[in-house]
Amino acid sequence: NMPFCVMGTFFLWFGWYGFNPGSTGYMHTAADAWKAALVAVNTTMAPCLGGLTVFFLRARVLQPKRLDVGGFCNGILAGLVGVTAACANIKPWEAAIIGAIAGCLYQGASMILPKLQIDDVVDAFPVHGVCGCWSILAAGLFGDPSEKHGGNGSLYGGDQFPTQIGSALIIIAWSGGWSILVLLPLRIIGFLRLSDNFQDKGADMMEHSPAKAYITHEHNGLTHTMA
């Protein structure tokens, strides 16, 4: 249901304004308010460029060259994820670049997963995994120390990038390690996925009530649909 997908995407985007600008913690002074405003602008620029980049690539560059609204939505999320780490330390034009790169990285990862026979139906890993790593690294590349925004990017002579690489590796090791400890035993004992027969019939039909999201019945010659 693409309208619901779009609506959900905008719910997330709206929530991100509480997440990123809200992380300033307070707006007691004009400087604090300015910082929150900068974060809000960056939280707008990056998803715009992320979504438009993916939309353009799928419409004009990549087969089947169609207008892909689902890809547009995930591109928006890719931009949001990509800018979050550095959102308070960069200028809006840097946020736009970060968002566009996040869109490209998302698209590349989304194309690679099927080739690796990895089933990720909502592209969660391309959006949050790949673009999350890009977000960490972007915080070490962008952000001019002379602007006094807290940035220390290597593109401006700063030395933050090695720290960001180390941080990304630690996060990957922590989350990956715990995921293996939890999920590998479940896979071994057969609890990680549903059986083929179960999936063929559908989880809704097999274990949910009602078995369908929409129940259709006829009354006095009229068809009624109830959610």
Side-chain angles (χ1 to χ4, degrees), residues 118-134:
I118 296 175
D119 184 17
D120 186 356
V121 294
V122 296
D123 275 345
F125 177 75
V127 171
H128 296 282
V130 173
C131 293
C133 287
W134 164 237

Side-chain angles (χ1 to χ4, degrees), residues 13 17 42-52 72 75-80 83 95 99:
W13 195 348
Y17 288 113
N42 290 338
T43 304
T44 303
M45 293 298 295
C48 285
L49 268 294
L52 289 173
F72 180 58
I76 289 173
L77 298 181
L80 286 167
V83 79

Side-chain angles (χ1 to χ4, degrees), residues 2 5-10 12-13 44-59 66-80 99 102-104 106-107 110 122-123 127:
M2 292 313 302
C5 289
V6 173
M7 184 169 64
T9 299
F10 279 95
L12 286 169
W13 195 348
T44 303
M45 293 298 295
C48 285
L49 268 294
L52 289 173
T53 298
V54 175
F55 196 69
F56 171 79
L57 289 175
R58 295 192 177 186
R66 295 289 188 269
L67 304 179
D68 191 335
V69 177
F72 180 58
C73 290
N74 269 343
I76 289 173
L77 298 181
L80 286 167
C104 293
Y106 157 75
Q107 180 60 45
S110 179
V122 296
D123 275 345
V127 171

Side-chain angles (χ1 to χ4, degrees), residues 96-117:
I97 294 174
I98 290 173
I101 295 175
C104 293
L105 291 173
Y106 157 75
Q107 180 60 45
S110 179
M111 295 170 65
I112 290 173
L113 287 186
K115 297 182 183 298
L116 298 177
Q117 296 186 346

